[in-house]
Amino acid sequence: AGLSGFGLLRALARYRHFRPDSRDEGETVLGDRDLLPRQSLTVEPHGVPGVSAECFQGSVVEITGAHLVIEVDLHARPAISCADRRCSRGDRITVNVNGAGAVYRFSGRIQDTMRTAVGQLLYLPRPATMTRLQRRRHPRVRLELPATFRAVGPSASAGAGGPAAEPGRWAGLHDAAVPAAAGPAVHATVRDLSCGGLRAHVGGPMGLREIDALLRLFAPDRSVSVRLPLDGLREGSILGRVRSCGRAAVPGGLTV
């Protein structure tokens, strides 16, 4: 009973440094067993004048019995605009960590700092709880990006040799020119993007006949050309393959 009481008091003492963030929409997990050295992360300072959210990039350096040591790179983009800013002892920060199978977030107060060749070491108490934002191998980024989809035939991307995607995603995305036998252009909105592919709402609110026509047009394994308004894409289009297609509810009705 004494050992149990001591463990409970110690857990409460650790927990007071890591109050849940009201912005988090995920699952709360106990402990930090999924944290490992050399994991990439981002640091969001709280209330530091002139420093925007997700300004610092870094990695986990060491995990001791009482502390979590992370290093932030003050010279890497997008931190280049605030390279003259440094986190101070007592500042409260939010850390986003890319784990092996999920994305985690926790908040805490800096206990100590130390300068390094590339930036700064931050010493935090080990988190008693973390918020699991995504249970995915590849972190998903939410977007609201306009796009144009064209069906280009079932075998157009058979030789592309791209990576297999996660179920329910657009897979095998490759920089490519639009084939001559492309179908009609259909406007869409990309909702999220990850290393495994992308998910998009194709068309706006439509009737059942239009939805059925699009379901046949973008059937699974159909090759598609996707045009995105991104300067980094050659000729502005990528070639991919549909992994799944179905109805989706949107304001005003249904879409694909």
Side-chain angles (χ1 to χ4, degrees):
L3 291 176
S4 299
F6 175 77
L8 178 61
L9 292 176
R10 183 185 180 193
L12 292 175
R14 291 173 57 191
Y15 181 76
R16 65 185 178 88
H17 294 285
F18 292 93
R19 295 185 298 272
D21 197 326
S22 59
R23 300 173 302 167
D24 290 347
E25 297 179 358
E27 178 185 4
T28 301
V29 296
L30 297 177
D32 55 0
R33 293 181 296 272
D34 292 335
L35 296 184
L36 299 172
R38 296 186 296 276
Q39 284 179 331
S40 61
L41 54 84
T42 59
V43 173
E44 302 176 12
H46 290 199
V48 180
V51 180
S52 60
E54 296 187 6
C55 187
F56 302 114
Q57 299 177 357
S59 61
V60 177
V61 175
E62 184 181 7
I63 302 175
T64 66
H67 293 91
L68 171 67
V69 184
I70 63 178
E71 183 178 28
V72 293
D73 189 350
L74 300 180
H75 305 289
R77 299 179 64 184
I80 190 171
S81 62
C82 55
D84 57 334
R85 303 283 185 174
R86 293 182 181 271
C87 297
S88 303
R89 183 175 182 178
D91 289 348
R92 186 171 180 81
I93 61 174
T94 294
V95 182
N96 301 277
V97 182
N98 296 326
V103 179
Y104 298 94
R105 172 182 291 167
F106 59 91
S107 298
R109 199 171 297 278
I110 301 174
Q111 293 189 336
D112 200 1
T113 65
M114 182 181 299
R115 292 191 177 187
T116 63
V118 297
Q120 192 177 23
L121 286 180
L122 305 180
Y123 292 82
L124 302 171
R126 289 186 60 175
T129 62
M130 299 190 301
T131 300
R132 182 161 49 202
L133 302 179
Q134 301 176 11
R135 191 191 294 269
R136 294 169 53 83
R137 179 182 178 187
H138 301 298
R140 180 192 307 167
V141 179
R142 295 180 181 179
L143 293 176
E144 288 289 334
L145 186 67
T148 302
F149 281 66
R150 289 177 182 266
V152 296
S155 60
S157 65
E166 303 164 354
R169 302 287 155 199
W170 299 90
L173 301 179
H174 300 281
D175 192 6
V178 177
V186 181
H187 295 289
T189 302
V190 176
R191 297 301 184 185
D192 59 57
L193 177 68
S194 74
C195 294
L198 62 86
R199 179 176 63 92
H201 286 169
V202 181
M206 297 172 291
L208 293 179
R209 291 186 177 180
E210 296 173 295
I211 289 178
D212 290 340
L214 282 182
L215 290 176
R216 292 192 298 269
L217 181 63
F218 297 108
D221 292 330
R222 175 66 59 87
S223 300
V224 294
S225 173
V226 183
R227 183 174 293 274
L228 300 171
L230 301 177
D231 296 335
L233 293 176
R234 179 168 59 88
E235 300 184 6
S237 64
I238 52 180
L239 191 63
R241 184 172 60 255
V242 179
R243 304 301 285 179
S244 70
C245 184
R247 298 177 179 88
V250 295
L254 296 175
T255 188
V256 173

